[in-house]
């Protein structure tokens, strides 16, 4: 299983970015998919999940601003990030796991990550 992210970059506060994660095989219909982020000196945080049935969930820190979606036919998952804040600055990674657990240790497959930087 391979996961490859793209779409990171630098944006001003209030701006938007769209991250993409392309996976190999039938990964999106087989696993719980998630986006995590990690800022320097901070713990890895799950920011969005989408299960095999298309149900999504977000922490309060991004709820209403981030939207996760997936296209099984294209083996692609996206994270639309709006109203970005400086505190959203982090390395963002997509991950796949058997269950939609909160802890990153539960996820078996990871992409290499893409940097998001939000300036004030």
């Amino acid at each position: 299983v391979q996961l490859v992210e793209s779409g990171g970059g630098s944006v001003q506060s209030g701006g938007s970015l769209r991250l993409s994660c392309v996976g190999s095989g039938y990964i999106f219909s087989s696993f719980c998919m998630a986006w995590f982020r990690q800022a320097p000196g901070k713990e890895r945080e799950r920011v969005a999940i989408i299960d095999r049935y298309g149900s999504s969930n977000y922490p309060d820190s991004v709820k209403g601003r981030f939207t996760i979606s997936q296209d099984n036919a294209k083996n692609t998952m996206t994270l639309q990030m709006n109203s970005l804040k400086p505190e959203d600055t982090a390395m963002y990674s997509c991950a796949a796991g058997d269950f939609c657990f909160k802890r990153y240790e539960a996820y078996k497959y990871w992409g290499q990550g893409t940097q998001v930087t939000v300036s004030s």
Side-chain angles (χ1 to χ4, degrees):
V1 173
Q2 287 189 320
L3 298 171
V4 180
E5 303 98 334
S6 61
S10 297
V11 66
Q12 288 194 326
S13 182
S16 298
L17 283 173
R18 185 178 181 89
L19 306 183
S20 294
C21 174
V22 178
S24 61
Y26 296 98
I27 186 171
F28 298 114
S29 60
S30 302
F31 294 99
C32 176
M33 302 300 300
W35 285 97
F36 283 81
R37 68 183 180 188
Q38 188 167 24
K42 293 189 176 181
E43 272 203 1
R44 200 174 306 188
E45 175 191 19
R46 194 184 75 180
V47 296
I49 60 110
I50 186 165
D51 67 17
R52 299 167 183 78
Y53 311 104
S55 295
S56 58
N57 193 268
Y58 311 87
D60 289 342
S61 57
V62 307
K63 194 174 291 183
R65 301 189 297 121
F66 289 12
T67 303
I68 190 172
S69 61
Q70 65 184 39
D71 185 334
N72 290 347
K74 296 182 179 179
N75 287 341
T76 301
M77 177 175 68
T78 61
L79 184 67
Q80 179 66 42
M81 305 185 296
N82 299 327
S83 302
L84 283 163
K85 305 174 182 180
E87 50 264 43
D88 294 319
T89 295
M91 180 70 75
Y92 284 72
S93 301
C94 62
D98 291 324
F99 302 100
C100 291
F101 290 145
K102 190 175 181 179
R103 294 289 302 174
Y104 69 89
E105 294 94 335
Y107 292 79
K108 294 195 292 190
Y109 305 107
W110 290 84
Q112 83 288 353
T114 185
Q115 178 68 36
V116 171
T117 302
V118 184
S119 58
S120 56

